[in-house]
Each structure stands twice: as C-alpha cells, then as structure tokens.
Amino acid sequence: MLPLVFILLTAGGCVSGLPRLDLDPDPAPGPPCLAPLQWEGRSVQYDHATGRNTRAAVSYDAQNQRIRILQQHKKHTPCQKYFEFIFLYQNGVVFQIDTKTLQCSKTALTEAWDPFDIPSNSTFEDQYIIGGPGDMMEVQEWSDRKPARKHEAWVGVYTVKDCYPVQETYTHNSSVSTSTRFFDLRLGISDPNVFVPPPSCQSASPHTLDEQGC
C-alpha cells in the first residue's frame, strides 16, 4: 500500500487500546465503512527493522491519487536530513525535496496506488474503545487474513464514526514491516498547491537523495 508509507504495534496487528475480552471477535456488523477521500493530518511511521520513528504532516487526496508527506524536524536527531515527498500516482512519479537546501529528485513510482481505506474483501477482526472510561473513541480492526494464510500482511484500524484511519500495519516480507499512526485529521485539502513540486524540481535529479547529513 502507500508508503507512508507513514501504528506502533507488532506485525500481528495489536493496537494501543482496550479490546473486548471475547475469545472470538463478533461477526462483522456489516461491510467495511467508506473512508474519506481527502484529508489532512499528522502521522508517525515506525519501521520495525530499523526501530526508527518518522513524524510527518500528511495531505491525502484519493480522488486524484496523490499524497504529500512533510517530515517534521526533531532537534535531538543530529545529522538527519528532512524531506518533503510528493507522490503523484496518476503520473507514476515521486518528488523528494530536501526541506533545507530545496534540492529535488524525481523518480518513478514502483508500486500502484493503494488508498488508505478498508478493502471490501477484508476480514473483520474486532471492535473496541481506544482509551479509558469516557473517551468513547470506537474503532474497528480489519485485516487481509485468509484461512490459508498464517499471518496477516495488512491490519487497519478505522474509527466507527466517519471511518478515519487510526493506524495501519504492513508486513511486506520478513525484513520489511511498518506501522503508522494517524492523528489530528481534518476533512478536505486546505491548500491543493502542496501537491505542486517547487521550481527547484524543474532540474530534478533522477536519483533518490541521500538521507544522511554528515
């Protein structure tokens, strides 16, 4: 799916919260909800292989198959560069911009568009409240688990109300597994220009920029 690419949990799909203590989850209350097509917010992506957390501002536009990720600076991380990524799936390209130098690269996307939503053939796993008494943030957990598959490759947690993404986990193979938490989401795109590459990308490099600053 999308590289966010951007749910701190194990590859098995556990999530912060208090699930019901049923030994077996109840049957799905119906088909998966329909996630919003456009939203903005923040995310934290955890790479299970490196142990690295990446914080970012996210603008998501499923109508035009594009997503913009702006990495957020952390003062306690020396020699770390920060980037803006503009994924344009209809054009099959991704722009990577160094937020300090504005150096830009333009490379081909190697994966097809895969939206932040719950596929219609997903398997219902559970429904529970995140937080403590009175919080009342009710979510549903879905996965791509199939009877013939031992482990899930994808687990998604979405709010029951409005179907916003809360977290998603992907296990691409034994060495590539990421978890992403989403928060502070707002409906719509406040500035469509965030999907327009800056002028420095007119002479973009065809190679991915180095992430290390020293």
Side-chain angles (χ1 to χ4, degrees):
M1 278 204 178
L2 291 174
L4 280 177
V5 281
F6 287 191
I7 51 193
L8 299 175
L9 64 160
T10 65
C14 298
V15 60
S16 58
L18 298 175
R20 298 194 312 269
L21 298 179
D22 302 333
L23 295 178
D24 296 308
D26 293 336
C33 59
L34 298 177
L37 295 178
Q38 294 181 325
W39 51 260
E40 296 175 320
R42 295 193 292 153
S43 69
V44 178
Q45 179 173 293
Y46 176 71
D47 187 315
H48 295 267
T50 64
R52 177 181 173 184
N53 283 298
T54 301
R55 299 179 180 273
V58 182
S59 297
Y60 170 77
D61 180 9
Q63 291 182 346
N64 299 290
Q65 297 186 357
R66 56 189 184 176
I67 184 169
R68 181 251 199 172
I69 299 172
L70 179 62
Q71 293 181 345
Q72 296 181 333
H73 291 251
K74 293 182 291 184
K75 295 181 180 180
H76 59 277
T77 306
C79 301
Q80 179 65 52
K81 292 183 179 180
Y82 293 89
F83 297 97
E84 176 184 6
F85 295 90
I86 302 175
F87 297 87
L88 304 176
Y89 282 85
Q90 291 184 348
N91 301 100
V93 297
V94 54
F95 292 90
Q96 178 191 15
I97 303 103
D98 187 314
T99 58
K100 183 176 181 180
T101 66
L102 299 184
Q103 184 181 1
C104 178
S105 75
K106 177 183 178 181
T107 55
L109 284 168
T110 58
E111 296 184 0
W113 168 257
D114 198 347
F116 288 118
D117 66 1
I118 308 171
S120 59
N121 62 347
S122 298
T123 298
F124 177 76
E125 297 291 352
D126 206 352
Q127 183 166 324
Y128 45 83
I129 303 295
I130 292 181
D135 290 338
M136 299 305 293
M137 176 58 73
E138 190 170 15
V139 299
Q140 288 183 348
E141 182 176 309
W142 298 78
S143 78
D144 64 351
R145 177 173 56 88
K146 304 299 179 186
R149 183 181 296 159
K150 185 177 181 181
H151 299 293
E152 303 93 339
W154 168 81
V155 176
V157 179
Y158 283 72
T159 61
V160 172
K161 183 180 183 295
D162 299 325
C163 204
Y164 280 109
V166 175
Q167 59 184 33
E168 287 197 347
T169 294
Y170 293 99
T171 304
H172 299 280
N173 53 52
S174 59
S175 61
V176 180
S177 180
T178 58
S179 299
T180 307
R181 293 184 292 120
F182 302 94
F183 47 95
D184 292 344
L185 301 190
R186 304 176 303 277
L187 192 63
I189 302 296
S190 60
D191 182 9
N193 289 325
V194 297
F195 300 106
V196 179
S200 61
C201 289
Q202 293 180 0
S203 58
S205 166
H207 305 290
T208 302
L209 302 180
D210 186 4
E211 294 188 8
Q212 295 301 318
C214 56

